[in-house]
Amino acid sequence: MGYPTIFATGTLRYDNKKAWSGYTLFPSARGALLIDMNGNEVQRWAGLDGFPNKLLPGGYVLGNSGRRKSKYAYQDQLDLIQVDWDGNIVWKFDHTEEICDDGRTKTWQARQHHDYQREGSSVGYYAPGAEPKVENGNTLLLVHENVRNRDITDKLLIDDKIIEVDWEGNILWSWRASDHFEELGFDETAKNVLYRNPSVHGEAGGDWMHINSMSTLGPNHWYDEGDERFHPDNIIFDARNANILGIIDKKTGNLVWRLGPDFNETEATRKLGWIIGQHHLHMIPKGLPGEGNLLVFDNGGYGGYGAVNPGSPTGNNNALRDYSRVLEFNPVTLEIVWQYTPLEAGFLLFTDASKFYSSYISSAQRLPNGNTLITEGSDGHLLEVTPEHEIVWEYINPYFSNVAGNFYNNMIYRAYRVPYEWVPQLEIPNEESIEPIDVESFRVPGSPIGKDKGKTTIVEGIDPNTNPRTFEAKDDEEEDINFCVASVKKSELEKID
């Protein structure tokens, strides 16, 4: 999409009658940042990394003290720490593996990446009656482990591993993705591509799965109704590079539910459509609207292994789409219950779909009033939308980091909204609605407002009130709207509510 070099940041709009108001936490270029609905920065834990950051009741925040720096490292965090409101570390885990990089002294590191969950909350965000523990409890962590498995490839792998640790840091349970290769559904073409190049990142190895979210299912009506696949202790995950979504049986370690990597398998998966490069798959917790359904940010971009095509000459990242979708769907029937796509955002898929598009990172959180907080991460864009797809809060991250000296990025990996009560150190703010500006007349200082200010000339024989446009739709009775080489039917522009 075309992107301006100058644009507003901070809170762009806020309807305090329709939004679910609270504090929003996200990892920024200046540390873990907590803002109110008007965009006031109420607390910043300077320099605290977050993959992601999560707020706990009592004003505690989880994050990382730093990242592993080595040619052998790929997205490894040194530790996972819990910090109080004043910056004191009150809990720490770093004993996944003892590392010795580039001749340095051996150190214990967590190798945590992408996700973790504290006992008491299945998903790490607010749900009625499900608060994460702050002074005890177990923690699930998504970590890395290097392995060799010739059934997958002859190259070193960066494998995804899930561990459960107690408050003292003892590892109580673990699961490793490569041990379940044959359960993942790769066909022979995909296996061949994967063997040759399992998403290799130099000497660090092949990030073959790239699991980026992991959480327990928590209490849910599917299990209450007798479906053992959805046991509350079972763990749901998604693997971005493989286009796989799955549920792990906590007792056996086997996959008991899976979507992908081929979405042409059944009529139900074809209707659901290809989920590509996805993030933050989880089950909506009990007590929230949509409870028991799955929520995922379907990034698009590219992902998967399979047959070569013009966009993928090697078969790596062979599934492509240039826009994103937020999907809420039934895990049994796979029926889409609610979605937010470019269409719901007010954009046509052929012409403007890339205006809702984050090819990496990103997330979605269901709020207690039925709204959804969406992190369109690549552009540092947060928005809260109603079930009817109305934007009632919108925010742009104002903090940019310099990448390789030439590129600036205000990305947000994942944001969370928490209730005011979780931060007793602060008084509940008096927040006022913010009306969106009129973008047709808004100008930066020094730029004149030109709209309807110049001389208007009436051309002989032309209705001055006509709306010239470069696509064809002569009147409201026509079914087709024609753009260049594509035609769009009005009947296809229906939204899913």
Side-chain angles (χ1 to χ4, degrees), residues 220-264:
N220 63 87
H221 67 86
W222 306 111
Y223 180 73
D224 295 341
E225 294 159 9
D227 196 328
E228 292 287 336
R229 297 176 299 170
F230 303 107
H231 190 286
D233 293 338
N234 287 354
I235 296 170
I236 187 169
F237 72 91
D238 74 69
R240 183 234 173 277
N241 286 358
N243 292 344
I244 290 174
L245 304 81
I247 295 176
I248 303 162
D249 185 307
K250 180 77 179 301
K251 290 182 178 179
T252 67
N254 296 327
L255 267 64
V256 292
W257 181 96
R258 176 176 55 81
L259 263 181
D262 181 1
F263 288 82
N264 290 325

Side-chain angles (χ1 to χ4, degrees), residues 74-75 111 113-114 141-147 157-163 175-180 206-213 237-241:
Y74 181 70
Q75 297 189 315
R111 299 195 69 183
H113 68 96
H114 284 95
L141 294 92
L142 182 57
V143 301
H144 280 144
E145 178 178 312
N146 291 99
V147 303
L157 290 175
I158 307 169
D159 206 7
D160 290 306
K161 186 176 181 179
I162 301 171
I163 62 174
W175 178 91
R176 194 168 58 183
S178 62
D179 293 336
H180 301 271
D207 186 27
W208 70 291
M209 284 280 280
H210 194 97
I211 294 178
N212 60 43
S213 70
F237 72 91
D238 74 69
R240 183 234 173 277
N241 286 358

Side-chain angles (χ1 to χ4, degrees), residues 141-347:
L141 294 92
L142 182 57
V143 301
H144 280 144
E145 178 178 312
N146 291 99
V147 303
R148 291 192 180 274
N149 186 325
R150 293 192 65 86
D151 290 336
I152 302 173
T153 182
D154 58 355
K155 299 170 179 61
L156 181 68
L157 290 175
I158 307 169
D159 206 7
D160 290 306
K161 186 176 181 179
I162 301 171
I163 62 174
E164 182 177 10
V165 303
D166 63 18
W167 189 257
E168 289 72 34
N170 301 303
I171 297 176
L172 308 176
W173 178 89
S174 66
W175 178 91
R176 194 168 58 183
S178 62
D179 293 336
H180 301 271
F181 179 57
E182 293 302 328
E183 300 175 47
L184 296 172
F186 294 111
D187 63 20
E188 291 306 312
T189 301
K191 287 180 179 180
N192 182 274
V193 172
L194 184 55
Y195 190 91
R196 289 183 285 110
N197 181 7
S199 299
V200 172
H201 292 272
E203 293 184 58
D207 186 27
W208 70 291
M209 284 280 280
H210 194 97
I211 294 178
N212 60 43
S213 70
M214 168 277 309
S215 61
T216 55
L217 295 176
N220 63 87
H221 67 86
W222 306 111
Y223 180 73
D224 295 341
E225 294 159 9
D227 196 328
E228 292 287 336
R229 297 176 299 170
F230 303 107
H231 190 286
D233 293 338
N234 287 354
I235 296 170
I236 187 169
F237 72 91
D238 74 69
R240 183 234 173 277
N241 286 358
N243 292 344
I244 290 174
L245 304 81
I247 295 176
I248 303 162
D249 185 307
K250 180 77 179 301
K251 290 182 178 179
T252 67
N254 296 327
L255 267 64
V256 292
W257 181 96
R258 176 176 55 81
L259 263 181
D262 181 1
F263 288 82
N264 290 325
E265 288 182 318
T266 68
E267 180 61 30
T269 56
R270 287 191 291 272
K271 189 173 182 180
L272 177 66
W274 276 75
I275 295 177
I276 303 170
Q278 70 289 333
H279 284 73
H280 202 207
L281 172 71
H282 62 278
M283 180 172 281
I284 298 173
K286 195 170 187 177
L288 294 177
E291 61 178 70
N293 292 330
L294 303 187
L295 192 62
V296 64
F297 192 101
D298 173 15
N299 293 70
Y302 54 77
Y305 306 94
V308 300
N309 59 58
S312 175
T314 65
N316 285 79
N317 297 313
N318 75 318
L320 304 98
R321 192 183 66 239
D322 61 355
Y323 63 88
S324 299
R325 308 186 296 170
V326 175
L327 300 178
E328 176 191 347
F329 64 97
N330 182 308
V332 176
T333 66
L334 306 186
E335 176 187 6
I336 296 176
V337 178
W338 182 86
Q339 66 179 14
Y340 191 82
T341 75
L343 186 61
E344 283 74 28
F347 310 122

